[in-house]
Amino acid sequence: MELLKAIMERRSIRKFTDRQVDRALLERLIKAAMWAPSGMNRQPWKFIVLEGESLQRFIKFSAGMAENMEGPLRVQNFNDKMRAFVKGYFRDLGGARTVLVCLAKAADTYLADHANMVSGAAALYNFLLLAHEAGLACCWMTGYALVESDLMRFLGVEGYKLVGVTPVGFADQIPPVPPRKHEDIIWME
Ligand SMILES: Cc1cc2nc3c(=O)[nH]c(=O)nc-3n(C[C@H](O)[C@H](O)[C@H](O)COP(=O)(O)O)c2cc1C
């Protein structure tokens, strides 16, 4: 697929069929995503794939978190509709049979910490585009940042920060195309 087409046509999908994604394909896409550039070539990402029993446990965890999110979401100034939307998606992640978590190694200095996080984001976006090209659908979610320490405890991981959680599967919806603002280009001559 032409890269421009993949960039323009990839969408955040929030409803999935119950078809399982092939593990070999997933592994190939994650390894390709890891060709992202990274600060000092630290390759600071960690990808965790949740399937089967671990996915069921994650969904239970996520649904439990949804019940505790009312306060944190109000602090973020989310209105009633947005709070219901976020909590609803936390309860079932759209029915996907696979969830991918992307983490970035925490660092002691601001420079390294920042570079690690944006490097992780580059790898995750690589994955989103590759998944789209392969006919798969995803939805990058950072809502879990509101419960980041619970998430790390659930995953049994220390010393990492959340880049994003994404369900991975086959789309069961054709969402509208959210419009883009194009005014934020500043040419300094
Ligand atoms: C860093 C980041 C965080 C996001 N967090 C969430 C989230 O927590 N929940 C959600 O449903 N969508 C989330 N999204 C998806 C955005 O809502 C979506 O990308 C945006 O509306 C544009 O739609 P598109 O991806 O279909 O082009 C996130 C996207 C990004 C890049």
Side-chain angles (χ1 to χ4, degrees):
M1 182 185 282
E2 189 196 343
L3 181 59
L4 182 64
K5 186 173 156 67
I7 290 171
M8 304 286 286
E9 293 185 355
R10 177 215 55 80
R11 290 279 74 78
S12 293
I13 297 297
R14 298 181 178 87
K15 195 169 184 311
F16 299 85
T17 70
D18 66 0
R19 186 171 155 203
Q20 182 79 51
V21 177
D22 177 63
R23 187 180 274 211
L25 170 65
L26 209 47
E27 187 175 351
R28 197 148 36 84
L29 300 182
I30 295 170
K31 284 184 172 165
M34 289 172 168
W35 278 92
S38 62
M40 305 286 285
N41 197 24
R42 273 191 295 269
Q43 304 173 42
W45 39 71
K46 189 188 282 296
F47 284 90
I48 299 175
V49 183
L50 301 166
E51 293 173 328
E53 177 59 28
S54 71
L55 178 62
Q56 291 318 310
R57 284 194 293 108
F58 180 73
I59 287 172
K60 255 192 209 144
F61 157 80
S62 186
M65 288 296 123
E67 302 317 312
N68 298 326
M69 287 184 107
E70 187 60 22
L73 288 172
R74 279 179 189 272
V75 171
Q76 304 299 320
N77 292 326
F78 280 33
N79 63 28
D80 293 356
K81 200 172 152 203
M82 279 307 291
R83 289 200 310 279
F85 174 79
V86 171
K87 289 195 294 184
Y89 199 34
F90 258 61
R91 286 190 190 104
D92 70 352
L93 290 116
R97 304 271 308 271
T98 303
V99 165
L100 183 67
V101 182
C102 178
L103 307 175
K105 208 170 183 37
D108 291 342
T109 65
Y110 174 74
L111 184 65
D113 201 62
H114 177 267
N116 284 359
M117 182 57 83
V118 294
S119 302
L124 181 55
Y125 187 47
N126 267 357
F127 177 82
L128 259 50
L129 292 177
L130 289 161
H132 176 67
E133 182 187 50
L136 302 177
C138 299
C139 181
W140 184 337
M141 299 166 75
T142 53
Y144 289 92
L146 290 172
V147 290
E148 189 169 15
S149 44
D150 297 296
L151 176 66
M152 296 302 167
R153 248 193 313 280
F154 173 88
L155 296 169
V157 170
E158 281 179 20
Y160 280 80
K161 292 183 172 177
L162 175 69
V163 178
V165 170
T166 177
V168 186
F170 295 88
D172 197 18
Q173 65 171 174
I174 303 173
V177 180
R180 264 29 182 196
K181 305 180 275 186
H182 286 291
E183 66 266 29
D184 288 326
I185 304 177
I186 298 168
W187 302 92
M188 298 181 74
E189 291 178 29

